[in-house]
Amino acid sequence: MKRIIITILTYLVGVTFVSASSNPEENKSNAKKKKPNIVIFFTDDLGYGDLSVNGGLTPTPNIDKIFNTGTTFTNYNTHCVCSPSRAGMLTAKHYVKTNSGPKTGGELSTDEVTMPETLQENGYVTGAFGKWHNGAPTSYGGNEKKGSKKFQLGAGVNAHGFDRFVGYYGGGGNYFTRMSNVYAQVSWYHDKTNRPDEKGYTTDLITKYALEFIEKNKDEQFLCYIPHEAMHNPLNAKYEDILRVPEAVKQGTALLSEEKYKNYFKGSKAWMKMSDEQKQIVRSAMLLSLDDAVGEVVAYLEKEGLLDNTIVIFTSDNGATPEGNNLPFRGHKHTIYEGGIHVPMGMMWENGGMNKGEKYTGDFNYLDIYPTLTAMVGAKRDQSVEIDGRDLSKEIMGNKAHDNMVQQWVWTGEGAVKEGNWKLIYNPLEIQLYDLSTDLKEENNLAEKHPEKVEKMKQLHLDFLRANNINPSYLPPSYLPSASQKAAPQGEVLEFYVDQAVPIKSGKDVMRFAFANGYDKMKYTIEPGDVVEYDIMVAEDGLNEGFFYSPTSTWKLLFAKSGYDQYGRYQKKGPGVKEGKGVWEHRVVGIGEATPQKLSYNMMSFMGRKTGVYHFYIDNLIARKADGTVIELWTSGKHTIKRWKEAPFMKNYKENIFKKVEIKTVKLDQI
């Protein structure tokens, strides 16, 4: 129910009712009597060095104001891609515990308790405006195109605690049309209804509807979550903003005509054909627009007397792509170097004593936002729900130190653990240890100098993985019960025969052979505890090396950068059967860091450095989940075989390299 200020003018005049918005000063006084509002700007692919407050060349005065006026978090960490960081911020749970990462594209379960749900229960009106990327839409609407039905429907944003939603689903899309890069259709929803015909630039539309929500609910206590698409690709900018790009960015590069830029802004990939210089100009224009958008919201809050009692947060979901600026850090989005996970974070709140222009140097990360904010506003949170984030409200508001937290990352082919200023990147091929107190750029690997620290932090990471039933491909799954299981081929098995005439010297000549169509890709989503298993035997006339199996959702192999079996062997190196030819071996490899991707194909790669015959058999290819559930991928001839002649199930087949390629089913007793 909306609040009404009751002002007793005199006992003779009686009672006069005055709208809270009619007098900003009176409104400001009234705001102190209610719980603080919350506005969260959660930008996309914005690097630490993009902002002018951090040395960026594009002026961002409105965003800078949040940092200069409020509190700057100098040691804020997130994940290195979109969906996991968003799910973690909303639930305060590590993404592996909600099946929301480390990859993108998962469907956040409605069983998870979110920050907006908790705030709703405490009397808040909640709204989200912009990018969701934590699940699929509830419908495809009238704009559904042929083939779209293959995409599963999701619960939708409103089901996760938001009273109002205007925005889009998927990772990103054209800023002028909202054509999604995931759903092959326009994605622009008002709550559960798709509005494909709405015109405008995405950054402007997000701001428009965020302001409408605040205007409508300014007499209430509200959460306004603004997950901007900017600065995510495609690089699309309004021409009026391109004209504002400073010379420091252009550095003598001439602007193109409006029509030429429009040609680069068609579809989702045309921007990639721009020169590097033009990409920098367009990206700068996008940042100018984003800064304007932030300024509009903050200015409105100030005009209405709401700013002092509103907690305003500005941050990014992950570091910038290589087109952006992550200085002074190494790496970028899609890496677990600091450039991918260390992003800007600022908070303003006058009534909370945070507008002193101070720096908070303690560890703070995306998982801490939910418990910290709810504590700051006095919202009761269900304490029976276990979370990973910490309530650091007292430490932050008092700018006091706190105990260092152990932070964990799981990524493609490697993981990372951070404790205080020490950071370990764990990959069995290369262990990296950095002291961030003296080496923010992660240039000086101290692993050899501090073996005891390496072992301690490595154990922290392994303990985390095992405690949470995570089986990534970079961890040999020797501890799993199935790792000691004996091979048990039966019935029909798959026979592979490849006669290679020339040694493989280049990755582009590695032949990939999608031998089976796999499980129904819309039903099987990889979870953190999953492994793949199969039985394999090398024939007496075959080379006992030079090939490896990998699941994949496209032609990009899951084991292209990792994949360690229970014996600690790196799959990409093409290990043969441990006990030699003529012996069946049971092999187990984790796939958990591919969560929540789909397992669409089963691929055998031939990359032998030697000429000769590669002749072997496999059977009982399965995916085994952490709870013991088995998904059959190919076993005893039950599933369709996609032979190499059936395009497009073979890649890099070159007759001058591979003289004969054959796959067929044979009965076990005929081998």
Side-chain angles (χ1 to χ4, degrees):
M1 178 177 286
K2 291 191 175 182
R3 297 175 179 272
I4 298 177
I5 301 174
I6 302 178
T7 306
I8 301 179
L9 298 177
T10 75
Y11 68 94
L12 293 175
V13 176
V15 181
T16 302
F17 295 92
V18 182
S19 168
S21 62
S22 63
N23 187 331
E25 289 303 316
E26 202 165 346
N27 192 10
K28 185 184 295 186
S29 175
N30 181 62
K32 294 181 180 180
K33 299 176 184 179
K34 67 173 186 173
K35 292 179 179 178
N37 305 308
I38 302 171
V39 173
I40 301 175
F41 295 103
F42 207 73
T43 57
D44 201 329
D45 294 1
L46 181 83
Y48 189 89
D50 277 327
L51 301 180
S52 55
V53 72
N54 292 330
L57 299 179
T58 300
T60 52
N62 296 304
I63 298 172
D64 293 355
K65 179 181 178 180
I66 297 173
F67 291 83
N68 293 328
T69 301
T71 299
T72 298
F73 293 76
T74 62
N75 206 16
Y76 175 79
N77 287 143
T78 181
H79 188 52
C80 61
V81 289
C82 310
S83 304
S85 62
R86 294 162 192 270
M89 188 273 291
L90 291 169
T91 66
K93 289 184 178 182
H94 197 284
Y95 43 82
V96 297
K97 299 181 181 181
T98 61
N99 292 340
S100 298
K103 297 291 189 176
T104 61
E107 179 73 36
L108 184 63
S109 172
T110 53
D111 292 337
E112 299 295 343
V113 179
T114 65
M115 174 171 58
E117 287 175 321
T118 294
L119 291 172
Q120 278 182 332
E121 292 172 357
N122 284 267
Y124 277 75
V125 181
T126 59
F129 306 93
K131 171 177 174 173
W132 181 236
H133 211 190
N134 279 135
T138 55
S139 69
Y140 293 113
N143 194 50
E144 183 172 296
K145 292 195 172 184
K146 186 178 180 180
S148 292
K149 290 183 180 179
K150 69 180 181 179
F151 295 106
Q152 289 177 313
L153 298 178
V157 178
N158 301 101
H160 293 280
F162 288 105
D163 298 305
R164 175 67 167 151
F165 168 64
V166 179
Y168 67 97
Y169 293 86
N174 187 285
Y175 283 70
F176 296 100
T177 66
R178 263 69 63 200
M179 178 62 71
S180 171
N181 63 355
V182 173
Y183 297 106
Q185 65 161 28
V186 173
S187 178
W188 187 248
Y189 287 77
H190 286 230
D191 296 317
K192 296 182 180 182
T193 303
N194 196 12
R195 300 281 186 86
D197 298 326
E198 186 161 9
K199 306 298 182 184
Y201 184 68
T202 298
T203 303
D204 295 340
L205 290 175
I206 289 170
T207 303
K208 171 187 174 181
Y209 289 107
L211 287 171
E212 283 187 6
F213 171 80
I214 295 173
E215 165 69 24
K216 181 179 179 180
N217 298 288
K218 61 187 176 183
D219 297 335
E220 307 283 354
Q221 49 200 31
F222 60 80
L223 163 68
C224 186
Y225 173 46
I226 311 177
H228 272 286
E229 178 175 11
M231 304 289 291
H232 197 286
N233 295 334
L235 298 186
N236 299 157
K238 295 179 293 184
Y239 195 66
E240 62 197 70
D241 292 325
I242 289 174
L243 296 175
R244 298 165 54 200
V245 172
E247 187 58 41
V249 173
K250 292 187 292 187
Q251 295 185 349
T253 301
L255 300 180
L256 303 177
S257 68
E258 185 172 5
E259 287 304 311
K260 286 185 177 181
Y261 277 120
K262 284 182 178 179
N263 287 332
Y264 284 123
F265 300 157
K266 293 179 179 178
S268 61
K269 295 183 179 180
W271 69 272
M272 299 173 70
K273 297 180 181 179
M274 286 190 290
S275 68
D276 290 342
E277 292 78 11
Q278 293 296 344
K279 288 177 184 176
Q280 290 302 310
I281 289 172
V282 173
R283 198 173 188 280
S284 175
M286 293 170 66
L287 185 52
L288 290 170
S289 178
L290 175 63
D291 186 69
D292 290 345
V294 172
E296 281 189 63
V297 174
V298 173
Y300 180 83
L301 292 170
E302 190 167 20
K303 178 177 73 72
E304 294 297 320
L306 301 171
L307 185 59
D308 288 354
N309 200 39
T310 299
I311 300 172
V312 178
I313 290 178
F314 181 93
T315 189
S316 178
D317 60 352
N318 47 252
T321 59
E323 293 86 16
N325 183 356
N326 295 302
L327 294 176
F329 307 121
R330 174 185 180 181
H332 47 77
K333 178 182 180 179
H334 297 123
T335 76
I336 49 177
Y337 289 115
E338 292 298 286
I341 64 173
H342 193 148
V343 297
M345 163 72 181
M347 183 186 296
M348 285 197 307
W349 184 23
E350 175 65 32
N351 290 356
M354 298 193 65
N355 289 8
K356 300 176 183 177
E358 296 180 333
K359 296 185 184 300
Y360 184 75
T361 59
D363 289 342
F364 190 68
N365 69 35
Y366 64 118
L367 304 176
D368 301 328
I369 290 178
Y370 170 11
T372 298
L373 280 182
T374 49
M376 282 180 169
V377 302
K380 293 182 180 180
R381 182 176 60 80
D382 185 350
Q383 298 297 320
S384 68
V385 178
E386 293 185 6
I387 61 173
D388 299 300
R390 303 159 297 169
D391 169 14
L392 295 174
S393 55
K394 294 180 181 178
E395 289 84 352
I396 290 170
M397 292 170 68
N399 203 0
K400 298 176 182 177
H402 61 82
D403 294 334
N404 290 324
M405 178 190 182
V406 176
Q407 301 180 72
Q408 302 276 1
W409 288 265
V410 179
W411 186 234
T412 304
E414 60 188 2
V417 56
K418 184 186 285 190
E419 185 178 32
N421 289 314
W422 288 100
K423 178 180 176 183
L424 180 82
I425 297 180
Y426 176 67
N427 176 330
L429 288 180
E430 181 186 16
I431 302 292
Q432 301 172 59
L433 179 69
Y434 300 105
D435 180 0
L436 299 179
S437 66
T438 59
D439 184 22
L440 277 177
K441 296 182 179 180
E442 296 171 288
E443 295 176 325
N444 186 19
N445 185 357
L446 301 175
E448 291 186 3
K449 291 184 178 180
H450 298 281
E452 73 293 337
K453 177 64 73 172
V454 168
E455 287 305 310
K456 177 190 175 184
M457 298 191 72
K458 176 182 173 182
Q459 196 60 49
L460 285 173
H461 189 58
L462 297 182
D463 289 347
F464 168 76
L465 296 175
R466 289 170 180 164
N468 292 286
N469 292 320
I470 309 166
N471 293 314
S473 69
Y474 59 84
L475 177 64
S478 57
Y479 57 94
L480 294 177
S482 60
S484 58
Q485 188 172 297
K486 299 296 183 182
Q490 58 182 328
E492 288 185 317
V493 299
L494 279 175
E495 180 180 22
F496 293 83
Y497 186 95
V498 174
D499 189 353
Q500 184 174 316
V502 180
I504 296 294
K505 295 182 179 180
S506 170
K508 66 182 180 180
D509 291 330
V510 172
M511 183 177 66
R512 298 175 184 174
F513 194 161
F515 62 86
N517 206 17
Y519 196 67
D520 184 333
K521 61 184 177 182
M522 295 318 299
K523 290 183 179 178
Y524 178 35
T525 300
I526 298 173
E527 296 176 352
D530 291 4
V531 298
V532 289
E533 303 182 18
Y534 59 98
D535 297 336
I536 182 170
M537 182 185 77
V538 175
E540 293 294 342
D541 63 341
L543 292 167
N544 192 25
E545 61 176 287
F547 50 86
F548 70 97
Y549 161 80
S550 176
T552 177
S553 58
T554 64
W555 284 105
K556 292 183 67 175
L557 303 179
L558 179 57
F559 297 155
K561 295 183 179 179
S562 62
Y564 291 84
D565 61 25
Q566 70 267 44
Y567 303 112
R569 299 175 304 182
Y570 187 43
Q571 299 302 288
K572 192 178 179 181
K573 291 186 176 181
V577 173
K578 194 169 184 287
E579 295 184 20
K581 300 177 183 180
V583 179
W584 280 94
E585 172 182 282
H586 183 66
R587 194 169 294 185
V588 183
V589 189
I591 58 174
E593 86 271 27
T595 305
Q597 291 183 349
K598 310 294 183 183
L599 199 161
S600 304
Y601 303 110
N602 297 283
M603 195 89 69
M604 193 65 71
S605 291
F606 296 88
M607 29 71 74
R609 301 292 178 182
K610 297 179 181 179
T611 58
V613 171
Y614 296 88
H615 187 191
F616 58 93
Y617 306 86
I618 69 168
D619 195 21
N620 298 327
L621 177 61
I622 66 169
R624 189 188 301 273
K625 309 189 87 61
D627 63 3
T629 301
V630 169
I631 309 294
E632 291 183 343
L633 302 175
W634 194 94
T635 179
S636 298
K638 292 180 182 178
H639 300 282
T640 303
I641 303 169
K642 291 293 184 180
R643 302 177 188 277
W644 68 272
K645 290 183 179 178
E646 297 178 2
F649 292 93
M650 191 165 180
K651 192 172 185 179
N652 296 342
Y653 171 67
K654 299 179 177 66
E655 292 185 357
N656 63 317
I657 297 177
F658 303 101
K659 292 190 295 184
K660 182 179 180 180
V661 178
E662 186 177 42
I663 178 175
K664 62 183 179 180
T665 57
V666 297
K667 292 185 177 181
L668 184 63
D669 58 10
Q670 294 178 347
I671 295 176

